[in-house]
Amino acid sequence: MSSQVSTSRKGRDRGAKARKGRSEAGGSPGGLDTPIWLRWIRRIAVAVFLGLIAFSVVQPQLAGRVLWTVAIAVLPLVIVLIGYHRWRMICPLATIAQLPTRWGRSGQRRAGTWLQNNYYYVVFSIFLFCLWLRLVATNGDGYAIAIFLGGASVAAVLVGLVFTGRSWCHYVCPVSFVEKLYTEPRGLQETENSQCPKCTACKRTCPDINEENGYWKEALTDPKRLVYFSFPGVVLAFYVYYFLQAGTWDYYFGGRWTGEVGLYRTAFLPGHDAATAGLYFWPQVPRAIAAAGTLLVGGFTSWTLFSVLERWLGPIVQRRSATDDESRSRHIFLSVSAFTAFVCFYSFAGAPTLRLVPGLPHFFLIAVVITATLFMVRRFNRSQEMFAEETLAKKIIARWQWTDREPPKDLREAFLIHTIRSESRAEAQAEMLGLYKDAVREVVESGVVERTELERLESLRSKLHISAADHERVMADLDEEQRALISDTSRQISPEKRLQLDTYSQALAVIFERAQKNGGVLDDSAIQRLQQDFGVTADEHTAVFERLMSSREGIAEHMFEAPGTIERAVETMRQLSSHDGAPATYLSRLLRRRWQRAAEGLYQSLGASVGEGSRRDEGLFSLETEQRREALVRLSGRLADSSAERLLAAHERVRVEQQARSLADSLRGHLQSPDPYVRAVTLYTLSALGLAMEGDRRVLLEDGHPLVSETAAALSGNSHEAIERKATTVEKMVALGSIGIFDSLQPEEISRLAESGQECRFEAGSTLCREGDHGEEVFVLLDGEVKIYRFDGNEERLLGIERSGGCIGELAVMDPAPRAATVIAGESGARALSLDGQAFKNALDVSPAVSYGIIRTLAQRLRNVTIGS
């Protein structure tokens, strides 16, 4: 146990370094979070795989030798040596199956209950078909090999387009069970797992998350037993068939079968000679039937043999292991079948090519025997009890509380140090019992260790000096907790579902944190994509959000602040409705945007708007207080009672407070808004209404947003002369926002437009622009009026009059040409914003409404010209 925990801690340390390296590397292109060196190996593996397809077409007579006697022959040995998880990270077909995920077109379907329970039958049947196909078509025909490999690639992509996660690897890939058979319950070395960064819980007891957990959960199932017991016989029968077909072993070991192009032409016909015979002693049987029969007989014989051995020797194994654990006996026979299959495979695999080099087969067999012995010994000593004990030990040591000392190597040392460091033995015992309880809770909730398995962990409890009575008290306490959480489905889930929701929770937290930095604005499309990528339902989203609120104060604050944001915005808008000035009007627009975003964020936070479209409750967008409250009550039904009460209480508190506030106090509350445009325009409105105080300006002088600090500086007491000379950005925003053609622009766009504009004042009779001149600026008329003239021969003709809100000179920007008319300030003069031509074009691109307004203005001018003429 000591060495196991020590090894696991070293593996954990290496894993932390690997995760750090992967994080710095920016993740993997295929969606798997793998180190850089493994990503390069994966790329090479994919290139080799695609190269084999091309090579099979170019050299059809050599393809069989290269693929079957080299690549496939070495594959099981590679899987055993590098480990299950590393192989899963570099498998070329697994990478190809993930292409739809990389393209953003990942499937959403999940395997049904039958497939989840019986997938061993499916993949084993596909495996048998592939072996049969080798014997009748693809052994020595490069063209057939190319079609086979290409078809497998297409099938992998199609499965990825329809099904979520790694459904291809779990439920379809013909070698998926071979990968596990040669590495379960754990490999020769500790490796990082191969779980997907966006887990969609596509499989129960997912081996990519925890291979050993999946092994013990499936060890007693009938599908696993049938496949593992049948596999050695199928492997042996496959190679024996070469002798049964040709009547001599030279046919296989000499490699003649690797160059049989077009074998499929005679495989389904009765044989008549040594080349076309199905069986050398019965040549008339078609090769296709003889090959299929040989594989089925070999598999059935092997299954029968191991089943009989298990029935006879299983009770003896259980008695010798001093346990009534049936999984221990099954584990022994599963391991023996895997060892037998490995030895059978390497008694033949690669031999036709290895024999071309004198002495090489002997060295290769020595390596195979050593490898097989190592993984056999490592497997034989493993038990489900050891797995459960080690899992719990890792959880306990992970909670090591003495920061000035490295975690201990084993549990006895942990208890000794804990006792020495504590003030009394009683205190140490109580703390260790609490530590044990927390660890037990975590492993039981994760589903990795069953509650019944904990009863057998007496050796672990003895190392911690935890008596049977203490253990019973812990389990009783956990039973009480379980009853209290019986309605919380998020706590009653498999390890795969927990990983799915945990990774979804982390990604969702990033979106909420980003929204807080952006003024509480949630990206609806991002949440929709997230739910789709992870395959999370609306109810699961709500459960995850509940946990986020309880664990991250910032996210809870974000949601409970939303009702207050809505009420403050609505009440301030109501108070501003009695003021007609441009600042009040524009601030009301910004507050309406703030209100709508807060309502959207609340719906999205609770999964009420994702995927529901027009059916969503619109009550939070109502101007009626009672309708908003009723909508909030309905929405809070998605939360736990405590959270729902807190949400409604926050809304009621703000509503009552806001109704008692004066306009000045209401406005002053928005000076702390997370939206910088609201802060700046609120300060400008306070000043325009004569309600601003020097303290308001002074606080915002140090604001981090340049628009806010510029507004505060311009409105300070000694800046009136500066204001007369140059309008501030916020003044120009308010002016532009009050003009009809720009009212669809967001403040971010209006701000950029305002920054590019210069305020110009024109005396009566002054010329803004002259017919025939070149110019790119556009004039937006803020006050006054201008007259538009055009020369008709020597006579100047009045085309029209533009007043406040009109645009002048836009044609010169949209169609570079000399000015088509002369524009002169009217009798009362004019005030206008001169806008940069490129900025004006950008506004047209951003908002169709701006373009429509310009078209409408041009149509009116054309009508005036037509009527005038």
Side-chain angles (χ1 to χ4, degrees), residues 65 69 346 348-361 364-365:
R65 181 174 290 274
T69 70
Y346 278 112
F348 298 92
T353 297
L354 289 171
R355 291 190 174 197
L356 297 178
V357 181
L360 184 58
F364 184 74
L365 285 177

Side-chain angles (χ1 to χ4, degrees), residues 478-547:
L478 293 179
D479 284 337
E480 289 296 327
E481 292 180 11
Q482 187 68 19
R483 281 192 287 271
L485 294 170
I486 195 67
S487 62
D488 185 359
T489 56
S490 68
R491 302 289 294 275
Q492 304 168 15
I493 54 180
S494 67
E496 294 70 38
K497 174 60 72 171
R498 179 170 297 279
L499 175 66
Q500 176 197 22
L501 297 184
D502 284 347
T503 51
Y504 176 74
S505 174
Q506 295 168 12
L508 188 64
V510 172
I511 291 180
F512 280 116
E513 289 165 2
R514 189 183 301 130
Q516 286 180 286
K517 294 177 182 177
N518 295 335
V521 181
L522 281 171
D523 186 347
D524 185 29
S525 62
I527 293 182
Q528 290 186 33
R529 286 195 304 272
L530 204 64
Q531 282 196 282
Q532 186 176 15
D533 289 345
F534 282 89
V536 171
T537 66
D539 289 339
E540 289 170 343
H541 169 89
T542 303
V544 167
F545 185 73
E546 272 283 350
R547 293 210 310 272

Side-chain angles (χ1 to χ4, degrees), residues 217-339:
K217 290 292 188 295
E218 296 177 342
L220 296 177
T221 62
D222 289 337
K224 191 182 189 82
R225 176 176 180 268
L226 181 143
V227 170
Y228 277 50
F229 285 3
S230 302
F231 184 65
V234 169
V235 172
L236 185 60
F238 173 79
Y239 290 109
V240 168
Y241 179 73
Y242 290 94
F243 173 81
L244 295 178
Q245 188 277 327
T248 172
W249 280 112
D250 184 64
Y251 174 57
Y252 174 76
F253 289 106
R256 192 167 73 249
W257 56 275
T258 63
E260 295 178 323
V261 177
L263 181 64
Y264 64 90
R265 295 191 184 98
T266 60
F268 297 88
L269 302 175
H272 54 80
D273 56 21
T276 59
L279 297 168
Y280 78 90
F281 53 85
W282 193 358
Q284 291 81 11
V285 177
R287 188 182 186 117
I289 295 177
T294 302
L295 292 175
L296 291 175
V297 169
F300 178 77
T301 303
S302 176
W303 174 80
T304 302
L305 176 62
F306 279 103
S307 297
V308 170
L309 288 175
E310 184 184 35
R311 188 180 304 114
W312 288 351
L313 302 179
I316 299 175
V317 172
Q318 284 187 248
R319 286 195 300 270
R320 289 180 62 86
S321 60
T323 176
D324 59 354
D325 183 9
E326 186 181 354
S327 64
R328 174 62 181 166
S329 172
R330 175 64 56 81
H331 166 65
I332 294 295
F333 289 98
L334 292 179
S335 299
V336 171
S337 67
F339 179 82

